[in-house]
């Protein structure tokens, strides 16, 4: 049995170097597109602050009740531009209809698969809703793919990701993997937000070729997590450190999840960036706030991100 | 708990702007074809009145007993032309055999998938019956795809729609999505005609790239609808307003459904158009009426549609 | 409740115009090939008398015990030529090995899918056994596809038919659909030979693009048929009239089914042709008879068909 | 009820003409390759004696215990050449690694699908292990495909065979179908070695385009066989005659099956050839014997085959 | 019953010739790439010592707790180079991000399929995570495919391997098959590490076209193994001899499996090489040791491998 965190994480708890686009061997196309998101938009210091709007597909318009303005996708774009986000992450339908009006003013991260949450999630899998070629045509700077790590449908899921990855390589399109632990086996082993689950998901994304992985901040260790996870006693910061390390040379985006209070949100940002994340992706936390509040909290997030930048090498 | 409709729909209940083909960024091919349906046929004022005939596949010839003349597809085309419809929506077999005689006289909306209602609908899914390339060859001005929102088969359904959508983009062919909530999960959450279900379906169509979405008018709110839907107390008009808003820049077609009395039908048209719909699609309500009655009620529909037009910009 | 046949079939029971290849808008390739079957072979008057031999695959050699000569496919071709049939309908294996010796002397209708009857028919579906390109290469004048209307496998079945149909259009190859109601849902709604089932099947074939549909003569109305079918009281002739009308501009071939006595067979022919069928397809009724008997009954069939011809327009 | 064999098999029990490659309309490529196997190797008189070695995949190395030398595939090739076989039938792995050393000295029959016998055979199906293009590249003179007639997986099996068949036609590659009745439905109808099952399998192979069909000698008639099979009283010779006739213009290879004593083996050869088979395929019966014994029994087989030759037409 | 090992393995227990890349007929591309791994890297004497790192996908980061440095893939590459390994075996994600920095300094064996161990393994199957074309682009010298021999998913597994194998032939890329017996049928027949299971797996890999097969050392004979396996009484060395023979002209890599003590590990190497293996693949046994210990044990492994070399022919 592993009795001390210090032993268990020897080498894990030290300061983690954030992977830089300069150090990771990426194709010119991937670098050029990532450069736009990292240095020409958003905080412009090598960090990312992304605004997603895929909840209309994933959850339905139900999420827009909190702030009915958010039902209007143009509102989201205005928020992204006024709030200086690194990119807006949306599905093909919104991209086709709304992005042309804002093209060039904010990068597009085209989400390439999704599903409704209506039917049973037992075999959870997100079918494709767009193609990498669509992303190229629309001038997107990255694409997003949701992988349900541990789902009984993993065979089809990984195979589809492989095809998307291949096209990303072909077109020089950065690949962002939403790595979500899901399924009854994950539940039996401690749950989707346990350290074991998130840590595994981060690594899977790296192994399968993600350039950026989007994960949730682990909520803790479960007694049902496999050894030695279930013996660890870690702070949230230590857990964040660990999962960032497990993502290796993948940049890490932590998701904001459901709406948080201001203090909780900013504390989360600090923990994530300190752990070595490249940035955060905040949806409901932003567009479920009213316009002014969203801009205000966004500025506070920026203040934190400014302390974690990686300057580009001189040209 | 959300106690008042006013609060819940802040910003939803206001007058809704109908999306115009001039404002939505569509390709030249899509615009040219939509222009024909919106301004050169039917009411010719930017609204749509479409005559579908896919019931022979979906329900069998059983629907033609009410008016045996309707069994003859040429009768349908005569009705569409005499009644000045915006388009006839049919499957490939009818299009190949009957449309050539009427080509140019009324636009063709080629329905690209369908099924019989004979086997169990538990895994409901409509296989392809034609291709976008067929639609191009036949001179069609739009294609139609039925998506069963919430079906356990949604993985295959969304993936197939994605391929059709991609081809529509390639050929400049407008994509009309029949967005039908279906399946046991929908039933458990309040039923296919509840506000929650139709509202979700409208949004899914927009997210997945529909240019036009065909939905049913919601019948009400169910106690089983998820919060806050189940707390709402809305009129039919308010529900129509809401689902049109959820469709965003998708134009909305409301379906006529089963045969209605004249007054109910006209009231429905008024509600739908007032909500911001682009038009209606009436099948059984037209061809189950006798010829003269169908023409007469069609003229009354036109009278309403004339009040909701969007003139084209001057050339 | 619909109490009188006259009312129920208003417009259905009148003399039915048989669709003519001259009136249906078909491509030049389809017309040229149909012309051969309709006017250069068989009765040569626009009707069809087709000899199928797919029972070796569908039922096994068991069907050949009644007349062992029929086991020899050359015997079938001799019968088709001597008996002046419009075409021989066989699968790829027989076509490759036997048709070259008879090429040009009788048209080939290449059956493109089939199955053995050995395993359970619960999910009944016929996989492809050949391609439209094979049919072109072999000089065939039509292809045949079996669609099991109402099968739980309809999604795969319709999707496969769609691909075959597309290739038929591409190559100008007439498409004959064997439209067979099958499956537990059909049984629960009155059975595969009930009017409801056959009527639906005929329409489905037309909707999906068949040029010719092969159906069985309905055996009657079942109490389990949906309304208003279950209220009808129709003669066999009226049922035949109805299903031919439901096939619209598809030409109809009635199948002979199991072996009948001479009088029953000829009565069936008369009913079918009077109803507006283009012809019949007789397998076991011909090759399970001895050579002389088969030729004799075939001549009597011809006599009837001669009374139902549609002359070609003058050149 | 059919009471006498003479009646039941009228026309079946007479001397059966063996299909000749000269009479069957095959492409030049198929003829050239079959000519090599029929006249330039093996008995060289139009008959076939084939040595298969796919048991390592189908059964595992377990079959090699009887004669450990057989584990070495070069030993099999030496046996085939020294014993003057018409071809060696192996999968891609053995063909790639061993055939180059023996290329030209004995024809290669590349087996294109197979499976291990480890998991349940309830849905028995053999996936592809090679392609027709591989066979062309390796200089093979035929390919082999195992079809499990009557398996619940027949839809996928027949569809795959169809693709292989199409490629065989394209490349002029002879198609040998291993037609094996299998599955619970076959068991319920009398078993995989009953006359009904083998007879059906032979016909299916012909219908689906086999040039040569490999079947087992039927072991008898089962009371569970469908009528009239279950009423027949046939000798082994009569059963062999019947199944060869059911294969029509497909040449028939009978399989040797498990190891037999010398007398039984030679009696089997005599029956098969007398029935009109083109040859036999002996695996375990040869390489489970020791070298000298295998050669000796092979020579005795040759003696029988020499009496059943079909000379080629003069050039 | 087989009572003596000598009888059972007549011809199996003698000295086994290790297949040499010079003797096996491989394409120039395969030879050139294998030459690099066999003679220009690692022991450089025709043997292989490979360092795999796919556990992050297969097991999750859990395997890295024993030596946290191993979480850093650059550490693995440094170990491979300093320890003079023949190749590093990793998935696409690690290859893209880490291999460029070490390209040319150690060969890359790109693992092309994998899965997480989270969901049930009842239908165990590894989807593709990369393509042979990726391997070519990345300058890999071999690819790896995991085949679960005996899995209920073998139909899909073998079919996928067939496509990978075809591409390997096309691109001259050596194919390494991880041949793992798995599934309930294997468990019922004695288990995945029993002689029967491993012996069958080795042969399957050869039959399906592997150039190199990776297997585990059998742990013994099970009473549930089929006859005659269950009657054998073999030493570990005899079992190793047997499975290497069953792999024929496939080179054999034995896997190290979980971490062993030094003496056990070296004894294993000696047994494997004596049996005719081409080499070993050690993951956890190396990177779960500390750096110095891993290098030290690696050198001792080299000492053994040096005694089993096959010199290249003079140029």
């Amino acid at each position: 049995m592993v009795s001390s965190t210090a032993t268990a994480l020897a080498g894990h708890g030290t300061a983690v170097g954030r992977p830089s686009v300069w150090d990771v061997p990426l194709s010119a196309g991937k670098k050029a597109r990532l450069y736009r998101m990292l240095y020409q938009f958003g905080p412009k210091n090598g960090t990312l602050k992304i605004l997603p709007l895929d909840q209309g597909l994933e959850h339905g318009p139900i999420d827009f009740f909190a702030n009915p303005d958010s039902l209007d996708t143009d509102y989201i774009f205005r928020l992204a531009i006024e709030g200086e986000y690194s990119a807006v992450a949306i599905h093909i339908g919104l991209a086709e209809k709304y992005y042309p009006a804002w093209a060039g003013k904010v990068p597009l991260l085209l989400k390439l698969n999704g599903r409704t949450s209506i039917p049973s999630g037992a075999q959870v899998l997100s079918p494709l809703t767009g193609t990498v070629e669509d992303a190229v045509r629309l001038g997107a700077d990255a694409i997003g793919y949701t992988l349900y790590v541990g789902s009984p449908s993993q065979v089809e899921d990984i195979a589809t990701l492989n095809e998307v990855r291949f096209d990303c390589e072909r077109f020089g399109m950065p690949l962002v993997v939403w790595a979500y632990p899901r399924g009854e086996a994950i539940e039996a082993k401690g749950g989707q937000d346990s350290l074991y689950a998130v840590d595994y998901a981060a690594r899977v994304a790296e192994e399968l070729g993600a350039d950026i992985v989007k994960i949730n901040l682990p909520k803790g260790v479960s007694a049902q997590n496999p050894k030695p996870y279930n013996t660890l006693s870690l702070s949230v910061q230590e857990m964040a450190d660990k999962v960032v390390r497990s993502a290796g040379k993948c940049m890490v985006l932590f998701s904001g999840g459901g709406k948080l209070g201001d203090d909780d949100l900013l504390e989360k940002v600090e923990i994530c960036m300190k752990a070595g994340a490249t940035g955060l992706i905040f949806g409901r936390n932003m567009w479920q706030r009213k316009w002014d509040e969203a801009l205000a909290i966004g500025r506070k997030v920026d203040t934190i991100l400014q302390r974690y930048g990686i300057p580009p090498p001189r040209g």
Side-chain angles (χ1 to χ4, degrees), chain A:
Chain A
M1 180 181 151
V2 180
S3 58
S4 110
T5 303
T7 304
L9 292 181
H12 288 227
T14 56
V16 177
R18 187 171 305 118
S20 157
V21 70
W22 314 112
D23 303 333
V24 180
L26 297 164
S27 67
K30 286 193 175 194
K31 282 204 166 162
R33 289 183 170 99
L34 284 171
Y35 184 84
R36 274 199 282 278
M37 291 194 293
L38 289 163
Y39 294 103
Q40 296 177 327
F41 289 90
K44 298 182 181 167
N45 69 336
T47 66
L48 293 170
K49 185 181 70 166
I50 292 176
L51 189 65
L53 180 70
D54 59 351
Q55 290 82 354
L57 175 59
E58 299 286 337
H59 308 156
I62 204 166
D63 282 6
F64 307 128
F65 278 88
N67 176 17
D69 291 338
S70 61
L71 186 58
D72 176 7
T73 303
D74 281 324
Y75 174 90
I76 302 295
F77 274 102
R78 280 192 296 268
L79 180 60
I81 290 165
E82 179 77 14
E84 296 184 276
Y85 282 78
S86 312
V88 170
I90 50 178
H91 280 276
I92 186 74
L94 302 187
E96 296 276 10
K97 297 287 192 302
Y98 296 89
Y99 188 57
W102 311 100
K105 298 182 181 170
V106 61
L108 172 65
L109 190 168
L110 187 65
K111 191 77 196 337
L112 282 201
N113 67 340
R115 64 184 186 101
T116 77
S117 54
I118 300 168
S120 159
Q123 302 283 332
V124 66
L125 179 69
S126 284
L128 292 178
T129 62
T131 69
V132 180
E133 190 178 324
D134 284 316
V136 173
R137 176 175 51 83
L138 288 165
D141 283 323
I143 64 94
Y145 183 93
T146 296
L147 182 77
Y148 289 116
V149 177
S151 164
S153 298
Q154 74 169 348
V155 164
E156 188 174 349
D157 208 357
I158 293 175
T160 305
L161 171 57
N162 183 43
E163 293 171 12
V164 168
R165 177 202 58 74
F166 189 87
D167 283 346
C168 282
E169 201 59 45
R170 186 156 69 104
F171 288 115
M173 182 65 66
L175 168 60
V176 186
V177 172
W178 270 235
Y180 288 166
R182 283 291 186 287
E184 64 179 15
I186 281 289
E187 291 317 305
K189 290 176 185 170
Q192 68 188 51
D193 290 319
S194 67
L195 179 61
Y196 162 75
V198 178
D199 204 35
Y200 201 152
R203 177 73 182 202
V204 166
E206 190 197 23
E207 296 258 351
L208 299 181
D211 299 312
I212 300 178
V213 59
K214 171 181 183 287
I215 48 178
N216 288 310
L217 200 52
K219 289 191 179 161
V221 160
S222 161
Q224 290 166 281
N225 278 174
K227 282 187 189 173
Y229 285 101
N230 63 356
T231 68
L232 301 177
S233 174
L234 302 181
S235 67
V236 173
Q237 183 66 59
E238 287 169 319
M239 291 191 293
D241 293 352
K242 171 132 187 46
V243 299
V244 169
R245 275 187 74 94
S246 288
K249 287 194 181 174
C250 269
M251 292 181 236
V252 174
L253 279 178
F254 279 102
S255 58
K259 192 178 164 187
L260 302 170
D262 284 15
D263 291 347
D264 289 346
L265 189 154
L266 296 172
E267 184 188 352
K268 187 176 190 169
V269 173
E270 188 78 47
I271 288 169
C272 293
M273 297 309 294
K274 193 171 168 191
T278 294
L280 293 108
I281 176 161
F282 283 121
R284 285 166 287 171
N285 270 296
M286 293 299 164
W287 46 253
Q288 287 188 346
R289 280 177 161 84
K290 295 202 176 300
W291 176 265
D292 291 340
E293 293 169 21
L295 287 178
I297 190 77
R299 293 301 175 205
K300 290 181 186 170
V301 169
D302 288 343
T303 304
I304 301 174
L305 295 182
Q306 288 305 340
R307 285 191 278 109
Y308 289 93
I310 299 174
R314 287 201 216 173

